[in-house]
């Protein structure tokens, strides 16, 4: 396991979830998502998590005693170009159940069509926060370079709303880093501020300038069962 820096060059803005963590992606959750797709698994809260810290399946170092976590950061904008933040708007409409039923009947029984501009089939507009990270979305972590490179090899897009072209990946690089303190690489920056969610129970001495919250400390970050009191990383505008 070596200190690593992962750079993912992005062509289109990265979408951030509306109801989950404020960051577009964490390195550990990105690796686990790709491994889950390969193995055709589904998350089951009633079963032991095969990708949990300590199982040895994810090629990242594990830190923490009471609440083990992966030694890897959230994504941050990088490069010479400034990051740009904004919103992406799109139109949604509810599933047209009645129309689906009518399509299953005989043609002569189909008498009407619901309009997406009015009535029960009316669409609505939503907006999601996005970030264009300038040149790349970067991550810090400690892990197996070859294994991480192999997992990320098939990465095509990240973030939400990928189906409409957000978060398109054009290049991924994994390089070894030489930090002054490898023990905090991917966890704390030079100002002792968190680079990811850090459980307070294992990290009581983090800078008092950062906020704390009851959030997930391990993937999947949307699952409330993983919540614990954590120091929160800087939002980077998203």
């Amino acid at each position: 396991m070596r200190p690593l820096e992962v750079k993912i060059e992005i062509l289109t803005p990265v979408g951030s979830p509306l109801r989950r963590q404020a960051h577009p992606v964490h390195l550990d959750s990105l690796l686990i998502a790709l491994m889950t797709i390969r193995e055709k698994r589904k998350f089951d809260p009633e079963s032991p998590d095969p990708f949990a810290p300590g199982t040895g399946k994810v090629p990242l170092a594990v830190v923490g005693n009471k609440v083990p976590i992966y030694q890897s950061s959230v994504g941050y904008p990088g490069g010479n170009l400034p990051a740009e933040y904004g919103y992406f708007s799109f139109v949604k409409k509810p599933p047209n159940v009645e129309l689906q039923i009518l399509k299953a009947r005989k043609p002569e029984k189909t008498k009407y069509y619901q309009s997406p501009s009015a009535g029960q089939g009316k669409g609505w507009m939503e907006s999601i926060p996005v970030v264009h990270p300038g040149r790349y979305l970067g991550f810090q972590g400690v892990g197996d370079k070859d294994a991480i490179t192999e997992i990320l090899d098939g990465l095509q897009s990240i973030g939400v709303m990928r189906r409409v072209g957000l978060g398109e990946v054009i290049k991924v690089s994994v390089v070894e880093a030489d930090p002054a303190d490898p023990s905090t690489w991917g966890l704390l920056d030079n100002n002792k501020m968190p680079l990811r969610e850090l459980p307070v129970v294992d990290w009581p001495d983090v800078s008092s300038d950062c906020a704390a919250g009851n959030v997930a400390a391990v993937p999947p970050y949307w699952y409330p069962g993983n919540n614990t009191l954590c120091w929160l990383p800087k939002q980077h505008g998203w």
Side-chain angles (χ1 to χ4, degrees):
M1 298 281 183
R2 296 284 301 168
L4 304 172
E5 185 172 15
V6 178
K7 295 182 179 180
I8 302 178
E9 293 190 27
I10 306 293
L11 181 64
T12 56
V14 179
S16 181
L18 287 171
R19 302 177 183 87
R20 302 180 187 174
Q21 298 296 89
H23 300 275
V25 70
H26 299 60
L27 178 58
D28 52 6
S29 64
L30 178 60
L31 295 174
I32 291 173
L34 293 170
M35 295 170 70
T36 300
I37 293 172
R38 288 184 181 184
E39 299 182 13
K40 298 181 179 180
R41 290 180 177 270
K42 291 183 178 180
F43 176 67
D44 182 3
E46 303 298 326
S47 301
D49 184 359
F51 302 105
T55 60
K57 290 203 64 174
V58 181
L60 289 169
V62 176
V63 294
N65 297 317
K66 297 181 179 179
V67 183
I69 59 173
Y70 287 114
Q71 189 170 349
S72 60
S73 73
V74 299
Y76 57 87
N80 298 325
L81 299 175
E84 297 180 358
Y85 308 98
Y87 286 85
F88 176 79
S89 299
F90 55 97
V91 175
K92 295 183 67 176
K93 61 180 181 179
N96 197 330
V97 179
E98 293 184 3
L99 182 58
Q100 293 174 3
I101 295 175
L102 288 173
K103 285 182 177 180
R105 297 176 180 174
K106 294 181 180 180
E108 62 269 17
K109 297 288 182 122
T110 303
K111 297 181 180 180
Y112 69 93
Y113 172 73
Q114 285 187 337
S115 169
S117 61
Q120 294 182 351
K122 183 178 181 179
W124 71 92
M125 181 171 287
E126 286 189 4
S127 296
I128 61 171
V130 297
V131 56
H132 199 302
R135 287 202 56 186
Y136 62 85
L137 194 63
F139 304 87
Q140 296 179 5
V142 176
D144 185 320
K145 177 183 176 181
D146 293 338
I148 291 175
T149 301
E150 192 273 333
I151 293 173
L152 295 176
D153 182 60
L155 183 63
Q156 297 180 340
S157 57
I158 61 176
V160 300
M161 298 300 291
R162 297 183 300 276
R163 66 180 182 275
V164 299
L166 290 184
E168 183 177 351
V169 173
I170 56 177
K171 182 180 179 182
V172 178
S173 65
V174 183
V175 297
E176 290 193 14
D178 186 22
D181 186 0
S183 67
T184 61
W185 183 252
L187 303 174
L188 298 170
D189 64 14
N190 294 333
N191 298 317
K192 302 301 181 182
M193 297 292 287
L195 292 175
R196 56 153 300 131
E197 293 79 9
L198 295 176
V200 174
V201 66
D202 283 324
W203 302 84
D205 300 324
V206 172
S207 173
S208 59
D209 293 332
C210 66
N214 187 43
V215 298
V218 295
Y221 289 97
W222 52 262
Y223 178 52
N226 289 339
N227 285 7
T228 188
L229 183 62
C230 294
W231 301 112
L232 303 178
K234 184 180 178 181
Q235 298 299 300
H236 289 299
W238 52 58

